[in-house]
Amino acid sequence: MDTKPIESMSKEELLKFIEECRPDGLILTGTDTGFRVNYRSLVEAASDIIFVLDTKGNVIYRNSAWGQIFYYKEEEELGKHFASYIPQLEVKRANTVFNMVVNEGTEITNEIMKTIDRNGKTAYFMINFSPIRDSGGKINGVFGIMRNITDRHLMEKKLRENTRRLEEKVKEQLSQAEELKQIQAINEDIINNVPIGIFSMDPTGIMLSENPALKRFMGHPQNETRIGVNLMQYEGFKDSGLDRAFEEVVEKKKPVTMRNVKYVPI
């Protein structure tokens, strides 16, 4: 390849240049005759956008896939600066990447950039940039490949957002659980120290909990417990009428109040 500047090359010369940047050809064996890949056809038929920029950043070649994203007429679009195709917020970063390739010969891979498609919608691309050098090694352009990853990018973005919300929800629930634990500790402290007998029963009459004051009222030592005992089996509980009050609570599911109840300790 001679040292002719790429900005002065024709489309055919550019395609030939791209072809020469690739392997000489792919030979498929196992057939009567070898098959040589036509790289010119591959470039034009590729689903990824393939383009060439000169050292000033002007678009001097792009394949047919370009038109699926950016509306263009060939005679109008060639020669426009690449910044014309990206949002203003992305221009500074894009220029930095371009200068790294042109001035430092840096290969850029998997760079994510945002742009606006021909329908005015936001699109995301993964882009690879490579410097184009003449036979003397001088950089005289940039070769780029763009892959549309809009759907994947938006899905990953949504996944990240859902993950963030889930983490916030978990933190909120942990905070609420800690608050509930503190409230329960306060309640237990009150129940254990209040001079009122407090206990709970399941729907069959089995005692589930009792506080120290209840033990004193029921007449048994603090180191003993009636948890697990079915109070409905004790005559003292029945004689006081507490069994009828209990049955009414279970049946009607409403509070029942009894006053001046005579109770015989178990």
Side-chain angles (χ1 to χ4, degrees):
M1 186 73 186
D2 60 22
T3 58
K4 182 179 181 180
I6 59 173
E7 55 263 36
S8 63
M9 295 181 187
S10 66
K11 179 177 180 179
E12 285 301 314
E13 288 175 322
L14 277 168
L15 285 172
K16 186 174 186 299
F17 179 81
I18 293 172
E19 179 181 348
E20 292 175 350
C21 288
R22 301 297 174 188
D24 292 336
L26 176 65
I27 304 299
L28 303 179
T29 59
T31 56
D32 293 338
T33 58
F35 177 75
R36 183 175 296 276
V37 175
N38 184 329
Y39 282 96
R40 297 188 184 190
S41 299
L42 283 181
V43 168
E44 282 300 321
S47 58
D48 292 342
I49 293 176
I50 298 174
F51 61 95
V52 176
L53 308 177
D54 63 17
T55 53
K56 296 180 180 179
N58 299 317
V59 180
I60 57 175
Y61 169 77
R62 65 273 186 282
N63 67 346
S64 300
W66 180 283
Q68 298 175 12
I69 300 299
F70 307 110
Y71 178 78
Y72 74 93
K73 293 181 180 179
E74 186 166 349
E75 65 275 11
E76 297 175 355
E77 296 294 318
L78 289 179
K80 291 182 66 173
H81 195 273
F82 69 84
S84 304
Y85 302 99
I86 57 178
Q88 188 61 37
L89 291 175
E90 289 280 357
V91 171
K92 183 177 180 179
R93 183 165 70 94
N95 280 328
T96 298
V97 171
F98 175 78
N99 289 331
M100 289 174 63
V101 179
V102 171
N103 299 328
E104 303 173 20
T106 305
E107 294 269 353
I108 304 294
T109 59
N110 301 334
E111 183 78 9
I112 306 298
M113 286 195 174
K114 179 173 70 173
T115 186
I116 305 298
D117 66 15
R118 58 190 297 172
N119 298 315
K121 296 182 179 179
T122 300
Y124 295 88
F125 286 87
M126 180 178 291
I127 311 179
N128 294 333
F129 297 100
S130 300
I132 298 175
R133 303 176 187 271
D134 60 22
S135 57
K138 178 182 178 181
I139 296 175
N140 62 1
V142 174
F143 178 79
I145 300 177
M146 298 170 57
R147 172 162 294 179
N148 192 335
I149 60 167
T150 302
D151 291 341
R152 189 185 80 183
H153 179 83
L154 294 178
M155 184 178 298
E156 291 175 348
K157 183 178 180 181
K158 185 176 181 179
L159 179 61
R160 289 193 297 270
E161 177 62 20
N162 289 342
T163 301
R164 183 188 64 80
R165 291 180 180 177
L166 178 60
E167 290 174 348
E168 290 179 352
K169 192 67 176 179
V170 170
K171 290 180 181 178
E172 180 182 344
Q173 291 178 342
L174 289 174
S175 176
Q176 291 175 349
E178 183 61 29
E179 291 178 3
L180 179 60
K181 184 178 179 180
Q182 294 175 359
I183 292 173
Q184 289 174 334
I186 293 173
N187 288 342
E188 289 177 4
D189 187 58
I190 293 173
I191 290 172
N192 289 331
N193 291 281
V194 70
I196 300 172
I198 299 174
F199 66 101
S200 63
M201 303 160 63
D202 75 3
T204 68
I206 295 176
M207 182 180 286
L208 301 177
S209 67
E210 58 182 347
N211 72 339
L214 183 72
K215 292 182 180 183
R216 293 194 298 271
F217 298 155
M218 295 182 72
H220 59 266
Q222 290 296 313
N223 61 351
E224 294 182 9
T225 181
R226 293 296 184 269
I227 292 177
V229 170
N230 192 328
L231 298 178
M232 302 294 286
Q233 297 176 356
Y234 287 88
E235 293 300 325
F237 194 81
K238 296 179 181 179
D239 292 344
S240 66
L242 291 172
D243 58 338
R244 295 188 299 275
F246 171 75
E247 290 171 354
E248 185 178 348
V249 171
V250 173
E251 180 182 352
K252 297 183 178 180
K253 297 180 175 58
K254 293 182 179 180
V256 173
T257 302
M258 298 180 67
R259 300 181 187 279
N260 301 319
V261 176
K262 182 180 179 180
Y263 177 74
V264 179
I266 296 174

